[in-house]
PDB file of all heavy atoms in Angstrom:
ATOM      1  N   LEU A 497      -7.562  -7.025   3.717  1.00 97.00           N
ATOM      2  CA  LEU A 497      -6.218  -6.434   3.750  1.00 97.00           C
ATOM      3  C   LEU A 497      -6.333  -5.145   4.619  1.00 97.00           C
ATOM      4  O   LEU A 497      -7.314  -4.400   4.515  1.00 97.00           O
ATOM      5  CB  LEU A 497      -5.799  -6.041   2.345  1.00 97.00           C
ATOM      6  CG  LEU A 497      -4.475  -5.341   2.199  1.00 97.00           C
ATOM      7  CD1 LEU A 497      -3.792  -5.761   0.908  1.00 97.00           C
ATOM      8  CD2 LEU A 497      -4.620  -3.823   2.179  1.00 97.00           C
ATOM      9  N   VAL A 498      -5.388  -4.957   5.505  1.00 97.00           N
ATOM     10  CA  VAL A 498      -5.370  -3.775   6.366  1.00 97.00           C
ATOM     11  C   VAL A 498      -4.169  -2.927   6.007  1.00 97.00           C
ATOM     12  O   VAL A 498      -3.023  -3.414   6.007  1.00 97.00           O
ATOM     13  CB  VAL A 498      -5.304  -4.173   7.866  1.00 97.00           C
ATOM     14  CG1 VAL A 498      -5.178  -2.919   8.726  1.00 97.00           C
ATOM     15  CG2 VAL A 498      -6.500  -4.992   8.231  1.00 97.00           C
ATOM     16  N   VAL A 499      -4.428  -1.645   5.588  1.00 97.00           N
ATOM     17  CA  VAL A 499      -3.329  -0.749   5.299  1.00 97.00           C
ATOM     18  C   VAL A 499      -2.797  -0.229   6.629  1.00 97.00           C
ATOM     19  O   VAL A 499      -3.481   0.474   7.378  1.00 97.00           O
ATOM     20  CB  VAL A 499      -3.805   0.443   4.410  1.00 97.00           C
ATOM     21  CG1 VAL A 499      -2.631   1.376   4.122  1.00 97.00           C
ATOM     22  CG2 VAL A 499      -4.383  -0.107   3.112  1.00 97.00           C
ATOM     23  N   VAL A 500      -1.536  -0.568   6.931  1.00 97.00           N
ATOM     24  CA  VAL A 500      -0.945  -0.139   8.199  1.00 97.00           C
ATOM     25  C   VAL A 500      -0.439   1.307   8.089  1.00 97.00           C
ATOM     26  O   VAL A 500      -0.664   2.123   8.971  1.00 97.00           O
ATOM     27  CB  VAL A 500       0.237  -1.086   8.575  1.00 97.00           C
ATOM     28  CG1 VAL A 500       0.936  -0.625   9.822  1.00 97.00           C
ATOM     29  CG2 VAL A 500      -0.268  -2.489   8.716  1.00 97.00           C
ATOM     30  N   TRP A 501       0.247   1.602   6.989  1.00 97.00           N
ATOM     31  CA  TRP A 501       0.654   2.987   6.735  1.00 97.00           C
ATOM     32  C   TRP A 501       0.732   3.242   5.225  1.00 97.00           C
ATOM     33  O   TRP A 501       0.881   2.264   4.443  1.00 97.00           O
ATOM     34  CB  TRP A 501       1.924   3.420   7.434  1.00 97.00           C
ATOM     35  CG  TRP A 501       3.166   2.545   7.306  1.00 97.00           C
ATOM     36  CD1 TRP A 501       3.630   1.696   8.276  1.00 97.00           C
ATOM     37  CD2 TRP A 501       4.089   2.474   6.223  1.00 97.00           C
ATOM     38  NE1 TRP A 501       4.804   1.111   7.847  1.00 97.00           N
ATOM     39  CE2 TRP A 501       5.097   1.566   6.585  1.00 97.00           C
ATOM     40  CE3 TRP A 501       4.161   3.090   4.964  1.00 97.00           C
ATOM     41  CZ2 TRP A 501       6.134   1.253   5.750  1.00 97.00           C
ATOM     42  CZ3 TRP A 501       5.219   2.769   4.108  1.00 97.00           C
ATOM     43  CH2 TRP A 501       6.209   1.861   4.501  1.00 97.00           C
ATOM     44  N   PHE A 502       0.657   4.481   4.841  1.00 98.00           N
ATOM     45  CA  PHE A 502       0.731   4.930   3.449  1.00 98.00           C
ATOM     46  C   PHE A 502       1.600   6.163   3.418  1.00 98.00           C
ATOM     47  O   PHE A 502       1.431   7.062   4.210  1.00 98.00           O
ATOM     48  CB  PHE A 502      -0.710   5.269   2.985  1.00 98.00           C
ATOM     49  CG  PHE A 502      -0.757   5.794   1.528  1.00 98.00           C
ATOM     50  CD1 PHE A 502      -1.114   4.904   0.534  1.00 98.00           C
ATOM     51  CD2 PHE A 502      -0.467   7.084   1.237  1.00 98.00           C
ATOM     52  CE1 PHE A 502      -1.146   5.349  -0.809  1.00 98.00           C
ATOM     53  CE2 PHE A 502      -0.502   7.545  -0.102  1.00 98.00           C
ATOM     54  CZ  PHE A 502      -0.882   6.665  -1.114  1.00 98.00           C
ATOM     55  N   ARG A 503       2.590   6.183   2.509  1.00 97.00           N
ATOM     56  CA  ARG A 503       3.481   7.281   2.397  1.00 97.00           C
ATOM     57  C   ARG A 503       3.628   7.739   0.942  1.00 97.00           C
ATOM     58  O   ARG A 503       4.086   6.969   0.087  1.00 97.00           O
ATOM     59  CB  ARG A 503       4.879   6.929   2.938  1.00 97.00           C
ATOM     60  CG  ARG A 503       4.815   6.631   4.420  1.00 97.00           C
ATOM     61  CD  ARG A 503       6.167   6.764   5.048  1.00 97.00           C
ATOM     62  NE  ARG A 503       6.025   6.521   6.483  1.00 97.00           N
ATOM     63  CZ  ARG A 503       6.383   5.417   7.068  1.00 97.00           C
ATOM     64  NH1 ARG A 503       6.931   4.437   6.384  1.00 97.00           N
ATOM     65  NH2 ARG A 503       6.235   5.261   8.372  1.00 97.00           N
ATOM     66  N   GLY A 504       3.225   8.985   0.717  1.00 96.00           N
ATOM     67  CA  GLY A 504       3.443   9.544  -0.591  1.00 96.00           C
ATOM     68  C   GLY A 504       4.934   9.744  -0.858  1.00 96.00           C
ATOM     69  O   GLY A 504       5.640  10.146   0.042  1.00 96.00           O
ATOM     70  N   GLN A 505       5.357   9.498  -2.078  1.00 96.00           N
ATOM     71  CA  GLN A 505       6.757   9.671  -2.417  1.00 96.00           C
ATOM     72  C   GLN A 505       6.993  10.847  -3.350  1.00 96.00           C
ATOM     73  O   GLN A 505       7.847  11.650  -3.110  1.00 96.00           O
ATOM     74  CB  GLN A 505       7.298   8.373  -3.125  1.00 96.00           C
ATOM     75  CG  GLN A 505       7.101   7.116  -2.283  1.00 96.00           C
ATOM     76  CD  GLN A 505       7.963   7.091  -1.059  1.00 96.00           C
ATOM     77  OE1 GLN A 505       9.149   7.462  -1.096  1.00 96.00           O
ATOM     78  NE2 GLN A 505       7.385   6.684   0.068  1.00 96.00           N
ATOM     79  N   LYS A 506       6.224  10.896  -4.423  1.00 95.00           N
ATOM     80  CA  LYS A 506       6.496  11.911  -5.470  1.00 95.00           C
ATOM     81  C   LYS A 506       5.168  12.257  -6.177  1.00 95.00           C
ATOM     82  O   LYS A 506       4.374  11.331  -6.486  1.00 95.00           O
ATOM     83  CB  LYS A 506       7.532  11.373  -6.428  1.00 95.00           C
ATOM     84  CG  LYS A 506       7.952  12.301  -7.518  1.00 95.00           C
ATOM     85  CD  LYS A 506       8.992  11.623  -8.364  1.00 95.00           C
ATOM     86  CE  LYS A 506       9.327  12.451  -9.591  1.00 95.00           C
ATOM     87  NZ  LYS A 506      10.299  11.724 -10.454  1.00 95.00           N
ATOM     88  N   PHE A 507       4.975  13.543  -6.480  1.00 94.00           N
ATOM     89  CA  PHE A 507       3.796  13.900  -7.243  1.00 94.00           C
ATOM     90  C   PHE A 507       4.164  15.047  -8.191  1.00 94.00           C
ATOM     91  O   PHE A 507       4.580  16.143  -7.744  1.00 94.00           O
ATOM     92  CB  PHE A 507       2.661  14.351  -6.352  1.00 94.00           C
ATOM     93  CG  PHE A 507       1.411  14.809  -7.111  1.00 94.00           C
ATOM     94  CD1 PHE A 507       0.791  13.901  -7.998  1.00 94.00           C
ATOM     95  CD2 PHE A 507       0.874  16.037  -6.952  1.00 94.00           C
ATOM     96  CE1 PHE A 507      -0.341  14.273  -8.711  1.00 94.00           C
ATOM     97  CE2 PHE A 507      -0.268  16.439  -7.674  1.00 94.00           C
ATOM     98  CZ  PHE A 507      -0.860  15.528  -8.529  1.00 94.00           C
ATOM     99  N   GLU A 508       4.125  14.776  -9.470  1.00 89.00           N
ATOM    100  CA  GLU A 508       4.389  15.806 -10.454  1.00 89.00           C
ATOM    101  C   GLU A 508       3.769  15.392 -11.763  1.00 89.00           C
ATOM    102  O   GLU A 508       3.635  14.236 -12.122  1.00 89.00           O
ATOM    103  CB  GLU A 508       5.881  16.090 -10.604  1.00 89.00           C
ATOM    104  CG  GLU A 508       6.711  15.012 -11.243  1.00 89.00           C
ATOM    105  CD  GLU A 508       8.159  15.386 -11.290  1.00 89.00           C
ATOM    106  OE1 GLU A 508       8.671  15.859 -10.257  1.00 89.00           O
ATOM    107  OE2 GLU A 508       8.766  15.188 -12.346  1.00 89.00           O
ATOM    108  N   SER A 509       3.322  16.373 -12.521  1.00 84.00           N
ATOM    109  CA  SER A 509       2.750  16.214 -13.822  1.00 84.00           C
ATOM    110  C   SER A 509       1.624  15.143 -13.875  1.00 84.00           C
ATOM    111  O   SER A 509       1.483  14.364 -14.763  1.00 84.00           O
ATOM    112  CB  SER A 509       3.810  15.764 -14.850  1.00 84.00           C
ATOM    113  OG  SER A 509       4.818  16.778 -14.896  1.00 84.00           O
ATOM    114  N   GLY A 510       0.823  15.134 -12.807  1.00 86.00           N
ATOM    115  CA  GLY A 510      -0.320  14.244 -12.756  1.00 86.00           C
ATOM    116  C   GLY A 510      -0.016  12.803 -12.453  1.00 86.00           C
ATOM    117  O   GLY A 510      -0.886  11.937 -12.506  1.00 86.00           O
ATOM    118  N   ALA A 511       1.239  12.498 -12.115  1.00 93.00           N
ATOM    119  CA  ALA A 511       1.610  11.136 -11.716  1.00 93.00           C
ATOM    120  C   ALA A 511       2.037  11.170 -10.248  1.00 93.00           C
ATOM    121  O   ALA A 511       2.755  12.071  -9.798  1.00 93.00           O
ATOM    122  CB  ALA A 511       2.734  10.625 -12.589  1.00 93.00           C
ATOM    123  N   LEU A 512       1.634  10.131  -9.510  1.00 96.00           N
ATOM    124  CA  LEU A 512       1.946  10.103  -8.074  1.00 96.00           C
ATOM    125  C   LEU A 512       2.465   8.688  -7.766  1.00 96.00           C
ATOM    126  O   LEU A 512       1.960   7.696  -8.272  1.00 96.00           O
ATOM    127  CB  LEU A 512       0.688  10.356  -7.305  1.00 96.00           C
ATOM    128  CG  LEU A 512       0.836  10.468  -5.793  1.00 96.00           C
ATOM    129  CD1 LEU A 512      -0.110  11.499  -5.208  1.00 96.00           C
ATOM    130  CD2 LEU A 512       0.631   9.158  -5.101  1.00 96.00           C
ATOM    131  N   SER A 513       3.495   8.639  -6.952  1.00 97.00           N
ATOM    132  CA  SER A 513       4.007   7.357  -6.472  1.00 97.00           C
ATOM    133  C   SER A 513       3.972   7.355  -4.949  1.00 97.00           C
ATOM    134  O   SER A 513       4.095   8.425  -4.284  1.00 97.00           O
ATOM    135  CB  SER A 513       5.399   7.080  -6.961  1.00 97.00           C
ATOM    136  OG  SER A 513       6.325   8.075  -6.495  1.00 97.00           O
ATOM    137  N   ALA A 514       3.774   6.181  -4.405  1.00 98.00           N
ATOM    138  CA  ALA A 514       3.663   6.050  -2.932  1.00 98.00           C
ATOM    139  C   ALA A 514       4.092   4.651  -2.545  1.00 98.00           C
ATOM    140  O   ALA A 514       4.254   3.760  -3.381  1.00 98.00           O
ATOM    141  CB  ALA A 514       2.198   6.276  -2.480  1.00 98.00           C
ATOM    142  N   THR A 515       4.289   4.464  -1.293  1.00 97.00           N
ATOM    143  CA  THR A 515       4.599   3.144  -0.689  1.00 97.00           C
ATOM    144  C   THR A 515       3.550   2.938   0.413  1.00 97.00           C
ATOM    145  O   THR A 515       3.195   3.844   1.141  1.00 97.00           O
ATOM    146  CB  THR A 515       6.002   3.104  -0.087  1.00 97.00           C
ATOM    147  OG1 THR A 515       6.928   3.465  -1.105  1.00 97.00           O
ATOM    148  CG2 THR A 515       6.389   1.712   0.410  1.00 97.00           C
ATOM    149  N   ALA A 516       3.089   1.710   0.522  1.00 98.00           N
ATOM    150  CA  ALA A 516       2.142   1.346   1.581  1.00 98.00           C
ATOM    151  C   ALA A 516       2.600   0.049   2.232  1.00 98.00           C
ATOM    152  O   ALA A 516       3.279  -0.774   1.610  1.00 98.00           O
ATOM    153  CB  ALA A 516       0.748   1.154   1.011  1.00 98.00           C
ATOM    154  N   CYS A 517       2.262  -0.094   3.503  1.00 98.00           N
ATOM    155  CA  CYS A 517       2.568  -1.299   4.247  1.00 98.00           C
ATOM    156  C   CYS A 517       1.190  -1.938   4.570  1.00 98.00           C
ATOM    157  O   CYS A 517       0.314  -1.313   5.153  1.00 98.00           O
ATOM    158  CB  CYS A 517       3.292  -0.964   5.520  1.00 98.00           C
ATOM    159  SG  CYS A 517       3.675  -2.381   6.571  1.00 98.00           S
ATOM    160  N   ASN A 518       1.055  -3.207   4.132  1.00 98.00           N
ATOM    161  CA  ASN A 518      -0.215  -3.916   4.327  1.00 98.00           C
ATOM    162  C   ASN A 518      -0.087  -5.129   5.214  1.00 98.00           C
ATOM    163  O   ASN A 518       0.867  -5.869   5.090  1.00 98.00           O
ATOM    164  CB  ASN A 518      -0.726  -4.381   2.926  1.00 98.00           C
ATOM    165  CG  ASN A 518      -0.945  -3.266   1.971  1.00 98.00           C
ATOM    166  OD1 ASN A 518      -1.398  -2.187   2.341  1.00 98.00           O
ATOM    167  ND2 ASN A 518      -0.579  -3.492   0.726  1.00 98.00           N
ATOM    168  N   ASP A 519      -1.031  -5.298   6.072  1.00 97.00           N
ATOM    169  CA  ASP A 519      -1.169  -6.505   6.883  1.00 97.00           C
ATOM    170  C   ASP A 519      -2.094  -7.394   6.119  1.00 97.00           C
ATOM    171  O   ASP A 519      -3.292  -7.119   5.980  1.00 97.00           O
ATOM    172  CB  ASP A 519      -1.723  -6.155   8.287  1.00 97.00           C
ATOM    173  CG  ASP A 519      -1.863  -7.338   9.187  1.00 97.00           C
ATOM    174  OD1 ASP A 519      -1.790  -8.478   8.719  1.00 97.00           O
ATOM    175  OD2 ASP A 519      -2.085  -7.159  10.396  1.00 97.00           O
ATOM    176  N   VAL A 520      -1.619  -8.535   5.648  1.00 97.00           N
ATOM    177  CA  VAL A 520      -2.385  -9.509   4.919  1.00 97.00           C
ATOM    178  C   VAL A 520      -2.666 -10.799   5.698  1.00 97.00           C
ATOM    179  O   VAL A 520      -3.146 -11.769   5.174  1.00 97.00           O
ATOM    180  CB  VAL A 520      -1.681  -9.872   3.556  1.00 97.00           C
ATOM    181  CG1 VAL A 520      -1.586  -8.629   2.640  1.00 97.00           C
ATOM    182  CG2 VAL A 520      -0.322 -10.510   3.762  1.00 97.00           C
ATOM    183  N   SER A 521      -2.386 -10.726   6.971  1.00 96.00           N
ATOM    184  CA  SER A 521      -2.567 -11.914   7.853  1.00 96.00           C
ATOM    185  C   SER A 521      -4.008 -12.429   7.898  1.00 96.00           C
ATOM    186  O   SER A 521      -4.185 -13.632   8.131  1.00 96.00           O
ATOM    187  CB  SER A 521      -2.041 -11.645   9.266  1.00 96.00           C
ATOM    188  OG  SER A 521      -2.780 -10.627   9.866  1.00 96.00           O
ATOM    189  N   GLY A 522      -4.971 -11.575   7.668  1.00 96.00           N
ATOM    190  CA  GLY A 522      -6.357 -11.996   7.756  1.00 96.00           C
ATOM    191  C   GLY A 522      -6.899 -12.489   6.425  1.00 96.00           C
ATOM    192  O   GLY A 522      -8.098 -12.821   6.320  1.00 96.00           O
ATOM    193  N   ILE A 523      -6.097 -12.586   5.387  1.00 96.00           N
ATOM    194  CA  ILE A 523      -6.579 -13.011   4.052  1.00 96.00           C
ATOM    195  C   ILE A 523      -6.201 -14.495   3.837  1.00 96.00           C
ATOM    196  O   ILE A 523      -5.085 -14.894   4.074  1.00 96.00           O
ATOM    197  CB  ILE A 523      -5.951 -12.139   2.957  1.00 96.00           C
ATOM    198  CG1 ILE A 523      -6.412 -10.723   3.082  1.00 96.00           C
ATOM    199  CG2 ILE A 523      -6.283 -12.708   1.575  1.00 96.00           C
ATOM    200  CD1 ILE A 523      -5.769  -9.740   2.132  1.00 96.00           C
ATOM    201  N   ASP A 524      -7.175 -15.241   3.354  1.00 96.00           N
ATOM    202  CA  ASP A 524      -6.922 -16.626   2.990  1.00 96.00           C
ATOM    203  C   ASP A 524      -7.467 -16.823   1.544  1.00 96.00           C
ATOM    204  O   ASP A 524      -8.469 -16.209   1.174  1.00 96.00           O
ATOM    205  CB  ASP A 524      -7.655 -17.574   3.934  1.00 96.00           C
ATOM    206  CG  ASP A 524      -7.119 -18.989   3.821  1.00 96.00           C
ATOM    207  OD1 ASP A 524      -6.061 -19.211   3.194  1.00 96.00           O
ATOM    208  OD2 ASP A 524      -7.766 -19.953   4.367  1.00 96.00           O
ATOM    209  N   VAL A 525      -6.767 -17.606   0.823  1.00 96.00           N
ATOM    210  CA  VAL A 525      -7.159 -17.990  -0.560  1.00 96.00           C
ATOM    211  C   VAL A 525      -7.207 -19.510  -0.558  1.00 96.00           C
ATOM    212  O   VAL A 525      -6.240 -20.177  -0.216  1.00 96.00           O
ATOM    213  CB  VAL A 525      -6.139 -17.464  -1.570  1.00 96.00           C
ATOM    214  CG1 VAL A 525      -6.532 -17.850  -3.002  1.00 96.00           C
ATOM    215  CG2 VAL A 525      -5.973 -15.971  -1.480  1.00 96.00           C
ATOM    216  N   VAL A 526      -8.357 -20.084  -0.953  1.00 96.00           N
ATOM    217  CA  VAL A 526      -8.607 -21.468  -0.894  1.00 96.00           C
ATOM    218  C   VAL A 526      -8.973 -22.004  -2.266  1.00 96.00           C
ATOM    219  O   VAL A 526      -9.708 -21.385  -3.014  1.00 96.00           O
ATOM    220  CB  VAL A 526      -9.799 -21.738   0.078  1.00 96.00           C
ATOM    221  CG1 VAL A 526     -10.139 -23.198   0.179  1.00 96.00           C
ATOM    222  CG2 VAL A 526      -9.474 -21.175   1.484  1.00 96.00           C
ATOM    223  N   ASP A 527      -8.475 -23.213  -2.595  1.00 94.00           N
ATOM    224  CA  ASP A 527      -8.703 -23.813  -3.900  1.00 94.00           C
ATOM    225  C   ASP A 527     -10.117 -24.469  -3.910  1.00 94.00           C
ATOM    226  O   ASP A 527     -10.783 -24.491  -2.879  1.00 94.00           O
ATOM    227  CB  ASP A 527      -7.608 -24.748  -4.349  1.00 94.00           C
ATOM    228  CG  ASP A 527      -7.519 -26.050  -3.529  1.00 94.00           C
ATOM    229  OD1 ASP A 527      -8.476 -26.344  -2.765  1.00 94.00           O
ATOM    230  OD2 ASP A 527      -6.491 -26.740  -3.679  1.00 94.00           O
TER     231      ASP A 527
END
């Protein structure tokens, strides 16, 4: 998985939220 970008949204009282954009094109899952 390649993280394209990461953006922090909110941080208070020890809790943090963020949004990330991931490139998953290189991942394969095989049965």
Side-chain angles (χ1 to χ4, degrees):
L497 178 144
V498 176
V499 179
V500 177
W501 52 256
F502 179 99
R503 295 201 178 105
Q505 303 292 317
K506 182 178 173 184
F507 180 57
E508 68 181 48
S509 302
L512 186 146
S513 60
T515 304
C517 178
N518 301 320
D519 180 345
V520 297
S521 63
I523 296 175
D524 196 14
V525 180
V526 179
D527 70 13

